[in-house]
Amino acid sequence: MAVDIRISQQTVLVVNALLLVRSGWRYGYDLSRETGLKSGTLYPILVRLTERKWLESRWEQADGEGKPRHMYRLTADGRRAARAFIERAGSKATALRLGYARS
Amino acid sequence: MSVQETKRDIPKALLSFFASRLPEQSSQWAIAMLAELEALTGTKERMDWAISGSWGLARIWLENSFRTLFFNPVKPLPVILISAYHATFCCVLLYVIVSQLPHVTSSWTEAFFPFLFMVFAATIPGVIALGLWVLDDSARYLAMVFSLLHGLGNYALLSTGRLPWTPRPTGRIGMDVLIIGILALPSIRSAFRTPPINLGLDS
């Protein structure tokens, strides 16, 4: 899968946050809190990642009373592409600063 | 009843307003944002989420419009030509207005508002051209009304003897009739109802 996403600090933050959870689904608000990005910045990035098939999404019932929320996680291809993206984005210093773990 | 459930839920109303501007498939992103908003409880964080989300939805809408503007493969040739005609018409009118500026003899306090009105009027065909280019249906109607008024105006000038029956004004009337006829064709009408670009969530 080609790494054709423009490297911005915000995109690196989102991709990094998604990479850190190996198989878990993430809420938009959790991603927003973790990356420090506001919804207006976060969601256009999620749109672009989904367009490139890096992300998959589904609706989930939060709990018995809660309304359904939308969740995201990297696809298998997306995970590989995301790693390449982080490597390309980053100098080691940038990756370390963002807390990216290679494991 | 909680604040979120009342009709005065400003963050929800704000986000819903921008969500309603998106085409159906893209609006799923807005629904996702609204769903997250429902899960938030703090007034400030809800408002932050809604304001920023509205900006994000506006960006998605702009990107959508940009793609439609430049990469729409189903734009019929007659619409492209009519759009170009209106754009040219707009440019010619603006050129005529600007070229007349050195000949203005009255003071600018008197001339300013008539000048402003003329510039505004001259941009109408430009707006129509842009609307036709993005296949906006209201622009199609506006173009037909504009052509009708333009044609009737020319006919009035010809019939009262203020314009001679020469090829140029009669040709302009013919052009107006042609534009109305083309834009009213069923095949052209259907082109103005293109499906939205897919930015859906389903991966």
Side-chain angles (χ1 to χ4, degrees), chain B residues 147-165:
Chain B
S147 291
L148 182 67
L149 294 176
H150 186 251
L152 286 175
N154 269 307
Y155 179 73
L157 291 173
L158 286 169
S159 59
T160 54
R162 280 182 281 179
L163 272 181
W165 285 89

Side-chain angles (χ1 to χ4, degrees), chain B residues 13-24 27 30 34 57 61:
Chain B
L14 182 68
L15 207 49
S16 299
F17 173 79
F18 284 95
S20 65
R21 296 305 184 263
L22 293 180
E24 188 181 343
S27 71
L34 280 164
L57 294 179
W61 176 80

Side-chain angles (χ1 to χ4, degrees), chain A residues 4 7 14 18 29 32 36 38 40 43-45 51 60 63 70 83-84 90 92 97 99:
Chain A
D4 58 349
I7 295 173
V14 174
L18 289 161
Y29 182 63
S32 170
K38 291 182 181 294
Y43 277 81
I45 292 172
E51 279 181 321
E60 187 180 78
D63 54 49
H70 208 244
R83 288 188 190 285
K92 286 182 182 175
R97 183 166 54 81

